[in-house]
Amino acid sequence: MNYQQTYQLSMQQPEIFWGKAAQAIDWYKPWDKVLDDSNPPFYRWFAGGELNTCYNALDRHVEQGRGEQAALIYDSPVTDTKRSYSYRELQTSVASLAGALLALGVEKGDRVLIYMPMIPEAVMGMLACARIGAVHSVVFGGFAANELATRIDDAQPKVVLSASCGIEVSKVIEYKPLLDQAIELAAHKPDHCLIFQRPQVQAELQAGRDLDWVSRCGQAPPADCVPVAATDPLYILYTSGTTGIPKGVVRDNGGHAVTMLWSMRNVYGVQPGEVYWAASDIGWVVGHSYIVYGPLLNGNTTVLYEGKPVGTPDPGAFWRVIAEHGVGVMFTAPTAFRAIKKEDPNGEYLQKYDMSKFRALFLAGERCDPDTLEWARSLLGVPVVDHWWQTETAWAIAANCLGIEELPVKPGSPGPAVPGYAVQVLDDDGAEVGSGDIGSIMLKLPLPPGCLPTLWNNDERFVDSYLSTHPGYYLTGDAGYKDEDGYIWVMSRIDDIINVAGHRLSTGGMEEVIASHPDVAECAVIGVADELKGELPVGLIVLKSGVEKVDGDIVSEVIALVRKKIGPVCAFKKAVVVARLPKTRSGKILRGIMKRIADGVEYKIPATIDDPRILDEIRESLVQIGYAKQ
């Protein structure tokens, strides 16, 4: 079936479509109903079915003859370590860790918080929880103590899995002091912390509460897989909430396993046995879906990379990993490629490596500007697919599904809706807008399997946050439009649509124009308050390495370019060159914070920020052009 036929079937007969997809998973007990729609807006997939996600990710591959195939390749330039684990080895390690958790009193439904760096034990921790029906909640390693405490209080874990330290390029970050402080701040106290001691730092263990990972795993009898309901939670993943209290996105076992496996083959076009690499972090949804669960459910070899796109040691780092491990398909964020492009604009490092097995690059995490997409495509000579999804959905909403049919790429668009998603663009009154008109991108309920069924212990907030804008629809929070071919164009967050003298303009559209300037590595446009026009756009520009032109000349050229491409209506008259942009650790640019700095209003430094010192640099730059007055 081609894309159009596949999509239509998923829309017209979703139960037949997903029922067939679910046959690729092993079940202890088949489902009573593919879709339980008896309690809208709370829809449940594969109700009555029983399975185990860890069994499907490890044990069944060992039973079916994949035991000696590499399941996980750990590649850590920051510690100069490489190690491969076969499916059999990974299964043995996971069963031992699951046994250690059982010995600590962890039972089906209990929560286990994972606060770890990018090491194989973190992946083992997630799978060990899944094995015994415990619910894991991974918090990005090195996260601030107060933020960790709020997650401990919300999830109420019986046990915390952690390590002595993480390594950021050349800096060692001790985790144990942060964990101790978080537990002190939290009202809920976990019974135990299981600590993996890395050679770089020996963490101090608190008698009675803290236990050594290796010795406990060595003592425990291996645990078998426990059947769980398809609708039971597999994990909680916290995403920042507007109120400052994080939202615990819940993932179920059944729908998640089905769509992870389906997406590996149909979205990414990856077959069992191939090497697949998601260059992300297990603290993010990409790490959950496409470092751990997706590739292992599909019988792939997954790469766990503890390093950066540049600086570990150079902008050829990604090409080395691809060449050395025979990666066929890679997934990363556009920001990683912008970093490589900034350091090595002509792709000279690529010439050193044999990329013959590499056949597709997928980008997601934030909007990919056409310039970066074209740069990657011409450099690599393979399909470069921008696709769009969210923490809440766990897998792609819009994509060029290489496993179904390779469609023409339109730089700037992630492609048409993925089968399963009814994507509509609505105006403020809930009416569908015409093609090419910007509106709020909404998903018609029910959401397909794999998406969040609710928020942890908070059905009311789930409805308020996502389902209350237009009844019967899920609010993505993104603004954009659909073109005449059904391609979706995600222009910006709804909050990033600015109103200039009554004209609704997308900052994403302006960023696209600025990024096309040959000297620009990356940029951000924010809407700042203006007494006369309501809001005015201001550009912040990072230049490529080696640019010798005067900053003022580049700013003038960029302003002229935006006025030419978008028109004087956008009133784009101010921009400033900056050394770097403030981002989250996953590479999302913090436009909202920069807007608040420019407007001179108070702001809270987000817990996910990569380097808070950048905010002072941004303030100084904005002062130069007349903003950021206290």
Side-chain angles (χ1 to χ4, degrees):
M1 285 199 300
N2 66 16
Y3 161 74
Q4 210 54 51
Q5 293 163 324
T6 308
Y7 184 75
Q8 288 309 326
L9 180 65
S10 77
M11 289 295 100
Q12 290 158 8
Q13 298 178 304
E15 296 187 49
I16 290 172
F17 184 88
W18 291 114
K20 189 176 174 208
Q23 289 167 11
I25 292 292
D26 286 5
W27 299 80
Y28 295 115
K29 176 177 176 281
W31 52 90
D32 301 324
K33 219 172 176 192
V34 174
L35 174 63
D36 175 5
D37 55 4
S38 60
N39 183 27
F42 300 98
Y43 297 92
R44 297 290 182 264
W45 290 92
F46 308 107
E50 288 183 7
L51 76 161
N52 182 281
T53 299
C54 181
Y55 175 83
N56 277 280
L58 297 178
D59 302 61
R60 72 164 177 167
H61 298 309
V62 174
E63 290 165 16
Q64 291 167 11
R66 275 190 200 283
E68 305 321 307
Q69 180 196 310
L72 178 74
I73 295 170
Y74 169 54
D75 186 309
S76 169
V78 296
T79 61
D80 196 22
T81 310
K82 287 170 201 163
R83 171 142 190 221
S84 178
Y85 296 79
S86 69
Y87 269 96
R88 195 181 306 280
E89 287 171 319
L90 195 56
Q91 179 197 31
T92 301
S93 298
V94 167
S96 298
L97 179 55
L101 289 173
L102 287 177
L104 295 176
V106 177
E107 296 171 359
K108 183 155 118 178
D110 284 341
R111 273 79 58 213
V112 173
L113 190 132
I114 300 176
Y115 183 65
M116 295 192 75
M118 285 284 285
I119 57 175
E121 287 71 20
V123 176
M124 293 168 191
M126 294 165 76
L127 292 163
C129 291
R131 193 171 188 84
I132 57 173
V135 181
H136 64 70
S137 186
V138 181
V139 177
F140 194 96
F143 224 41
N146 59 321
E147 293 291 336
L148 181 54
T150 62
R151 287 150 175 79
I152 289 170
D153 279 337
D154 195 68
Q156 304 207 328
K158 192 173 264 190
V159 169
V160 174
L161 299 179
S162 190
S164 57
C165 66
I167 298 154
E168 288 285 324
V169 189
S170 56
K171 197 168 62 182
V172 174
I173 296 159
E174 291 195 38
Y175 283 4
K176 192 65 186 2
L178 294 165
L179 177 60
D180 290 343
Q181 198 186 338
I183 292 171
E184 204 171 300
L185 290 169
H188 172 83
K189 310 294 179 193
D191 295 349
H192 294 289
C193 299
L194 202 54
I195 307 295
F196 184 79
Q197 300 280 17
R198 298 188 78 179
Q200 292 78 11
V201 169
Q202 198 68 12
E204 269 187 56
L205 302 188
Q206 194 177 304
R209 186 193 74 189
D210 300 341
L211 305 161
D212 179 71
W213 184 297
V214 174
S215 62
R216 295 302 293 204
C217 288
Q219 296 162 14
D224 284 332
C225 296
V226 172
V228 298
T231 51
D232 280 347
L234 169 69
Y235 69 75
I236 305 163
L237 181 56
Y238 287 94
T239 179
S240 48
T242 45
T243 58
I245 301 160
K247 295 183 287 200
V249 169
V250 173
R251 199 76 64 214
D252 66 7
N253 273 274
H256 174 259
V258 170
T259 47
M260 284 301 105
L261 182 53
W262 186 90
S263 66
M264 286 300 295
R265 294 184 191 177
N266 291 278
V267 176
Y268 301 102
V270 178
Q271 295 309 311
E274 289 192 278
V275 183
Y276 179 88
W277 177 28
S280 180
D281 191 286
I282 51 149
W284 311 122
V285 70
V286 175
H288 284 60
S289 292
Y290 297 113
I291 294 175
V292 184
Y293 289 111
L296 295 176
L297 286 164
N298 195 38
N300 294 115
T301 299
T302 185
V303 179
L304 182 76
Y305 175 69
E306 191 182 25
K308 300 279 186 207
V310 296
T312 58
D314 56 46
F318 277 15
W319 320 139
R320 175 192 67 76
V321 173
I322 290 168
E324 223 166 89
H325 305 304
V327 174
V329 176
M330 179 195 189
F331 174 167
T332 192
T335 190
F337 266 69
R338 285 197 282 267
I340 297 167
K341 183 176 76 165
K342 180 176 187 282
E343 297 290 319
D344 182 22
N346 302 320
E348 285 159 23
Y349 280 87
L350 183 66
Q351 311 313 317
K352 302 179 186 179
Y353 299 102
D354 172 11
M355 302 280 285
S356 56
K357 286 193 173 168
F358 189 59
R359 58 188 175 78
L361 169 68
F362 282 79
L363 297 170
E366 54 179 320
R367 191 163 177 276
C368 182
D369 57 285
D371 197 56
T372 300
L373 187 116
E374 290 292 6
W375 180 82
R377 195 157 65 167
S378 62
L379 186 69
L380 296 168
V382 298
V384 177
V385 180
D386 181 18
H387 62 322
W388 167 63
W389 48 292
Q390 303 182 322
T391 300
E392 290 84 354
T393 65
W395 61 291
I397 303 169
N400 192 338
C401 294
L402 295 190
I404 300 172
E405 177 191 9
E406 191 179 333
L407 298 169
V409 168
K410 297 189 184 188
S413 165
V418 171
Y421 288 94
V423 181
Q424 294 183 11
V425 183
L426 307 183
D427 65 17
D428 294 344
D429 299 323
E432 205 164 354
V433 300
S435 67
D437 292 343
I438 285 188
S440 178
I441 305 175
M442 310 287 287
L443 308 178
K444 196 169 191 304
L445 299 180
L447 294 173
C451 297
L452 80 168
T454 188
L455 293 172
W456 180 250
N457 282 341
N458 208 332
D459 287 350
E460 189 183 340
R461 191 174 180 195
F462 170 62
V463 174
D464 286 351
S465 298
Y466 300 106
L467 309 181
S468 59
T469 307
H470 299 299
Y473 288 89
Y474 165 91
L475 175 76
T476 67
D478 283 311
Y481 63 92
K482 258 194 212 183
D483 68 16
E484 62 285 355
D485 299 321
Y487 280 56
I488 294 154
W489 297 74
V490 183
M491 298 314 289
S492 53
R493 296 296 288 167
I494 289 169
D495 308 344
D496 294 333
I497 293 286
I498 61 172
N499 197 320
V500 180
H503 297 280
R504 280 165 62 86
L505 297 165
S506 152
T507 53
M510 292 180 226
E511 287 174 7
E512 194 171 294
V513 174
I514 297 169
S516 71
H517 188 286
D519 296 327
V520 173
E522 64 178 342
C523 63
V525 173
I526 54 172
V528 298
D530 181 78
E531 281 178 19
L532 184 65
K533 296 203 171 192
E535 282 183 294
L536 282 176
V538 168
L540 296 103
I541 302 162
V542 179
L543 303 179
K544 289 176 183 168
S545 297
V547 171
E548 288 170 3
K549 211 182 278 182
V550 179
D551 287 358
D553 291 352
I554 293 172
V555 166
S556 302
E557 288 169 17
V558 159
I559 289 169
L561 196 59
V562 173
R563 288 176 72 83
K564 181 183 163 196
K565 293 276 179 75
I566 296 178
V569 64
C570 70
F572 184 77
K573 293 172 186 169
K574 286 200 175 178
V576 64
V577 172
V578 295
R580 49 195 185 145
L581 294 169
K583 294 178 183 177
T584 65
R585 285 167 166 169
S586 65
K588 287 189 172 62
I589 295 168
L590 293 162
R591 292 174 182 83
I593 295 285
M594 290 193 284
K595 175 180 165 56
R596 295 183 79 83
I597 292 171
D599 288 342
V601 296
E602 274 187 57
Y603 62 89
K604 180 176 173 240
I605 296 177
T608 52
I609 193 167
D610 196 24
D611 183 353
R613 291 172 302 184
I614 301 177
L615 300 179
D616 289 331
E617 297 168 17
I618 295 295
R619 175 179 288 105
E620 286 164 24
S621 299
L622 287 166
V623 167
Q624 291 169 25
I625 56 168
Y627 292 106
K629 297 184 174 70
Q630 293 297 338

